[in-house]
């Protein structure tokens, strides 16, 4: 059944992706019932500042909402905040809420995001919601000690903020260098040195088996003492509520290039694993820009646009005095080369090859416009020899 302007649309996930989907549905002419369901009691808010501006105290919580109350009212949404979706019946096209309510739909967009992974043992801090960030913020400052498990982007950002507040930080990472799986060993060594230069006790090649009272236990049995522990070891997509309905669930809701998971069911944001034609691979992206773009694309395709969602993913990270920006797919790359600047100066552009193609670019300390030629080359599926010509042009 094709949706009509008066169809019943349901968006599960009051997130950046969910909000983008709802706004797009209205903008593209949908006038029927539009229900937005979220398990948190708040209207959609921005998450990247949680590990940066909120944690540091630079922002207060009132700066987080993605839209004003008046703007949300103009969308004429049937909002169900603080209501968790616990099931879906694809055949009957209904969503079941935890309070027993069934919400019927003609079109459904799943934007339920992810939740943090945990470690065994004593409960520790995680960093996903506003409440998480505020609780952790109260534990930081001079005289406080913090153990951060995981030196990915989230853990590194939290460590940098905590160190800047005068907290003694121990950062624990099982890989040889931070972000080795993505940015590569050379860039990872540079990032490691930045942590050390800012007084963080970085310990790489160090696995953590459990959280214990007063710290964490390492794989070798020793204990790192800390007043507070933050676990930042990745996340799990929120897909359990979708099980048993013929939907394919494999590290996310599996979707095609149009973000469709089944007739009338589309995925968007952190929870969606879709086929990206630009890279001819399945990917699930946990970054803010992708969430908004995919929410828009999913809504348009639900309404019948049927345009492949083929972005060059973008992400950024603020660590200490560094602004890190990247485009493309850096994971599993075969080669990294410095196109401009130097790692020693911490001002550079690094480009990445997978197979015979240019697939990614990462920059530190350079203007965003410097990345545009590389972004365009990645979008054009340029072969690596094209990147080499760009490198030669840069050098010239």
């Amino acid at each position: 059944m094709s949706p009509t302007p008066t169809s019943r649309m349901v968006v599960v996930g009051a997130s950046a992706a969910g909000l983008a989907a709802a706004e797009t549905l209205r903008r593209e002419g949908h006038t029927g019932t539009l229900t937005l369901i979220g398990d948190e009691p708040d209207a959609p808010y921005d998450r990247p500042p949680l590990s940066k501006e909120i944690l540091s105290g630079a922002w207060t919580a009132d700066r987080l909402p993605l839209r004003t109350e008046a703007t949300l009212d103009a969308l004429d949404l049937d909002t169900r905040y603080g209501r968790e979706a616990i099931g879906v019946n694809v055949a009957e096209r209904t969503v079941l809420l935890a309070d027993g309510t069934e919400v019927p739909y003609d079109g459904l967009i799943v934007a339920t995001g992810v939740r943090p992974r945990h470690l065994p043992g004593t409960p520790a801090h995680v960093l996903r919601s506003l409440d998480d960030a505020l609780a952790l913020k109260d534990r930081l400052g001079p005289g406080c000690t913090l153990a951060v498990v995981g030196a990915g982007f989230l853990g590194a950002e939290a460590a940098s903020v905590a160190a800047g507040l005068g907290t003694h930080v121990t950062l624990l990472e099982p890989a040889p260098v931070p972000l080795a799986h993505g940015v590569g060993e050379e860039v990872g060594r540079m990032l490691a040195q930045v942590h050390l230069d800012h007084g963080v006790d970085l310990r790489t090649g160090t696995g953590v088996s459990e959280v214990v009272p007063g710290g964490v236990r390492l794989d070798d049995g020793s204990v790192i003492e800390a007043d507070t522990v933050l676990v930042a070891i990745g996340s799990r997509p929120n897909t359990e509520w979708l099980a048993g309905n013929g939907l394919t669930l494999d590290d996310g809701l599996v979707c095609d290039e149009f973000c469709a998971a089944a007739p009338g069911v589309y995925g968007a944001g952190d929870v969606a694993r879709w086929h990206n034609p630009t890279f001819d691979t399945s990917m699930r992206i946990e970054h803010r820009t992708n969430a908004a773009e995919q929410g828009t694309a999913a809504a348009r395709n639900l309404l019948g646009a049927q345009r492949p969602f083929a972005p060059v993913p973008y992400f950024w990270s603020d660590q200490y005095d560094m602004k890190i920006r990247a485009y493309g797919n850096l994971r599993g790359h075969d080669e990294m080369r410095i196109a401009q600047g130097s790692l020693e100066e911490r001002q550079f552009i690094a480009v990445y090859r997978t197979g015979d193609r240019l697939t990614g670019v990462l920059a530190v300390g350079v203007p965003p416009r410097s990345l545009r030629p590389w972004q365009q080359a990645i979008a054009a599926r340029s072969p690596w020899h094209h990147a080499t010509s760009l490198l030669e042009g840069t050098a010239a």
Side-chain angles (χ1 to χ4, degrees), residues 115-139:
R115 65 186 183 279
R117 294 177 181 269
H118 294 268
L119 283 171
T122 304
H125 289 261
V126 292
L127 190 47
R128 176 66 184 173
S129 69
L130 174 59
D131 288 344
D132 293 337
L134 294 176
L136 180 59
K137 176 179 176 294
D138 289 341
R139 304 285 298 175

Side-chain angles (χ1 to χ4, degrees), residues 7-375:
S7 298
R8 300 165 298 183
M9 297 297 189
V10 173
V11 179
V12 183
S15 56
L19 177 61
E23 290 181 322
T24 302
L25 289 170
R26 288 298 190 218
R27 188 168 57 248
E28 299 289 325
H30 175 67
T31 58
T33 302
L34 178 51
T35 302
L36 179 63
I37 299 168
D39 60 356
E40 291 187 65
D42 305 297
Y45 63 87
D46 214 9
R47 295 189 189 274
L50 297 179
S51 61
K52 307 174 184 73
E53 291 86 355
I54 294 296
L55 201 59
S56 69
W59 284 17
T60 52
D62 58 2
R63 295 187 62 175
L64 286 180
L66 288 168
R67 301 292 184 269
T68 65
E69 187 175 343
T71 299
L72 290 175
D73 288 344
L75 293 175
D76 188 24
L77 300 175
D78 168 26
T79 56
R80 311 285 183 98
Y81 299 144
R83 312 278 287 279
E84 182 183 4
I86 61 170
V88 62
N89 188 316
V90 173
E92 297 185 6
R93 298 203 172 198
T94 58
V95 172
L96 176 64
L97 305 186
D99 63 4
T101 304
E102 289 189 348
V103 183
Y105 70 84
D106 298 305
L108 171 65
I109 294 179
V110 176
T112 44
V114 297
R115 65 186 183 279
R117 294 177 181 269
H118 294 268
L119 283 171
T122 304
H125 289 261
V126 292
L127 190 47
R128 176 66 184 173
S129 69
L130 174 59
D131 288 344
D132 293 337
L134 294 176
L136 180 59
K137 176 179 176 294
D138 289 341
R139 304 285 298 175
L140 305 179
C144 300
T145 57
L146 171 69
V148 180
V149 185
F153 286 111
L154 182 63
E157 289 176 355
S160 68
V161 169
L165 294 173
T167 311
H168 182 271
V169 179
T170 302
L171 181 56
L172 304 163
E173 169 59 44
V177 295
L179 296 167
H181 61 284
V183 303
E185 186 174 344
E186 292 178 72
V187 176
R189 283 200 300 267
M190 182 276 295
L191 294 174
Q193 190 59 50
V194 173
H195 287 300
L196 296 173
D197 290 349
H198 284 84
V200 170
D201 181 6
L202 172 65
R203 305 193 187 188
T204 57
T206 303
V208 176
S209 61
E210 64 175 334
V211 182
V212 297
V216 295
R217 189 182 309 280
L218 306 184
D219 287 346
D220 65 6
S222 62
V223 172
I224 299 294
E225 296 183 355
D227 302 327
T228 304
V229 176
L230 170 65
V231 175
I233 55 173
S235 58
R236 300 181 188 277
N238 292 318
T239 57
E240 287 79 5
W241 68 283
L242 299 169
N245 277 277
L247 299 171
T248 303
L249 307 177
D250 182 10
D251 185 35
L253 173 63
V254 177
C255 304
D256 63 15
E257 66 268 33
F258 305 107
C259 304
V265 181
Y266 287 71
D270 297 4
V271 72
R273 173 170 292 282
W274 91 105
H275 184 82
N276 185 338
T278 297
F279 299 90
D280 192 26
T281 190
S282 173
M283 55 177 57
R284 186 174 65 82
I285 304 293
E286 295 184 25
H287 296 301
R288 171 70 173 80
T289 301
N290 186 78
E293 291 178 349
Q294 194 166 23
T296 297
R300 287 175 175 163
N301 287 336
L302 175 58
L303 293 175
Q306 290 303 284
R307 289 195 294 268
F309 181 56
V312 174
Y314 169 73
F315 67 87
W316 78 94
S317 179
D318 296 319
Q319 300 179 28
Y320 307 104
D321 55 352
M322 294 190 311
K323 184 78 170 185
I324 303 170
R325 296 181 176 90
Y327 286 97
N329 183 17
L330 280 57
R331 287 177 175 267
H333 63 268
D334 297 313
E335 180 182 356
M336 184 281 292
R337 288 181 61 180
I338 299 300
Q340 177 181 317
S342 72
L343 293 171
E344 292 73 23
E345 295 175 0
R346 297 174 188 171
Q347 187 172 5
F348 64 90
I349 295 176
V351 294
Y352 295 81
R353 174 183 66 82
T354 304
D356 62 355
R357 284 184 51 199
L358 169 69
T359 52
V361 59
L362 179 144
V364 171
V366 301
R369 65 178 179 273
S370 300
L371 295 180
R372 288 175 193 158
W374 298 104
Q375 177 194 9

